[in-house]
Amino acid sequence: MSTLPSDTMRIAGPAGTPPALPGAGRVAGEGGWSGTLLETPPATGTSPERPMLVRMEPDGSQVVVPAGLLQPREDGTFFVPIPRAVLEGFGAEEATRVSGPRGTSVERIVVPLHAEEMSVSTRRVPVGGVRLHKRVVERQEVLEQPVYRDHANVERVTVNRMVDGDPPPVRHEGDTMIVPLLEEVLVVEKRLMVREELHVRLSRVLERDTQTVTLRREEAQVERFEPGQTSPAADAPNGA
């Protein structure tokens, strides 16, 4: 048998289908198809690209399988990890027929070798949610604030001084306000006499004034719910 290029095969022409060679083995493939190897099973060291002719059952059609895809099994058969549709589809679509010797024909068939690659990606999915509620909480608190209150200390000072002219006005001496008190007295001539003076001093006293006031603060209540729930369960409110 003549040697063909790695991507070609020789198929019998009008003379008929070649019989199975001595030592040919059974072949099973992915998807449950089966057939018979029409060539001597590949030996150790055979090029994995060498085309091997397989007769399919039960219609007797022929496909080409690279020697590297024939996986030997313990019972002497071979397994091909490619579906029949892939082998037949590419053989029919990509074959180029040319004239061969002795009235036969030669087809060049490209058999693709497939490999799976893994692609990893991420996407966002809803896993739950939260609902926030805000409310106002009131509390009573006692505050102490220092305040100032003015007290007037009144001291009476006897003066008994006669007034000549207009009555004396109110005057200030330091922090003391002096208010004159006038009185008419009988004399040989009537004159005004300062009978006494009021000396008013202001003093500041520190006292504690206690009042009750109302203070308000806000608290947040969190309700958690799972996907598909219409009524979320409320968590206990968080303290401030």
Side-chain angles (χ1 to χ4, degrees):
M1 182 176 180
S2 60
T3 303
L4 298 177
S6 60
D7 59 348
T8 63
M9 61 163 281
R10 184 175 298 277
I11 300 178
T17 301
L21 299 179
R26 298 284 297 170
V27 179
E30 182 177 344
W33 64 267
S34 62
T36 304
L37 190 63
L38 299 180
E39 302 184 46
T40 302
T44 303
T46 303
S47 171
E49 298 180 357
R50 176 187 172 185
M52 305 298 294
L53 189 61
V54 176
R55 181 167 57 201
M56 308 296 287
E57 297 178 356
D59 55 2
S61 61
Q62 300 176 19
V63 297
V64 172
V65 178
L69 294 181
L70 294 172
Q71 301 176 1
R73 298 192 289 194
E74 294 181 357
D75 56 359
T77 62
F78 295 90
F79 177 76
V80 178
I82 294 181
R84 175 174 177 171
V86 175
L87 295 175
E88 293 179 342
F90 279 94
E93 295 174 1
E94 301 184 9
T96 303
R97 187 178 300 275
V98 298
S99 299
R102 302 177 184 176
T104 62
S105 62
V106 176
E107 289 183 351
R108 182 182 298 271
I109 300 177
V110 178
V111 179
L113 302 180
H114 300 277
E116 293 182 343
E117 294 184 355
M118 181 176 61
S119 176
V120 180
S121 62
T122 61
R123 61 187 180 93
R124 293 186 177 182
V125 296
V127 297
V130 297
R131 180 176 297 167
L132 298 180
H133 296 276
K134 184 174 69 174
R135 63 189 181 94
V136 177
V137 179
E138 296 183 355
R139 74 175 189 275
Q140 301 293 329
E141 188 168 328
V142 177
L143 298 178
E144 289 189 2
Q145 178 66 31
V147 294
Y148 291 95
R149 181 179 291 111
D150 291 337
H151 290 271
N153 297 322
V154 179
E155 179 185 357
R156 294 179 178 271
V157 178
T158 301
V159 176
N160 293 328
R161 184 177 68 247
M162 302 302 295
V163 175
D164 295 330
D166 296 331
V170 177
R171 67 183 188 275
H172 292 82
E173 294 181 359
D175 59 351
T176 302
M177 180 178 62
I178 300 176
V179 179
L181 298 181
L182 302 179
E183 179 185 12
E184 289 183 342
V185 295
L186 293 177
V187 291
V188 176
E189 56 180 354
K190 187 173 66 174
R191 296 190 307 174
L192 291 177
M193 179 184 68
V194 177
R195 183 175 59 85
E196 64 178 349
E197 293 179 342
L198 298 179
H199 291 205
V200 180
R201 295 184 181 88
L202 296 179
S203 63
R204 179 165 295 183
V205 179
L206 177 62
E207 295 181 352
R208 292 288 180 178
D209 186 12
T210 302
Q211 297 183 8
T212 301
V213 297
T214 300
L215 302 179
R216 299 184 300 175
R217 65 183 176 85
E218 294 182 341
E219 290 185 353
Q221 181 181 1
V222 180
E223 295 184 4
R224 302 184 181 276
F225 60 93
E226 302 298 331
Q229 290 184 348
T230 59
S231 178
D235 292 348
N238 297 329

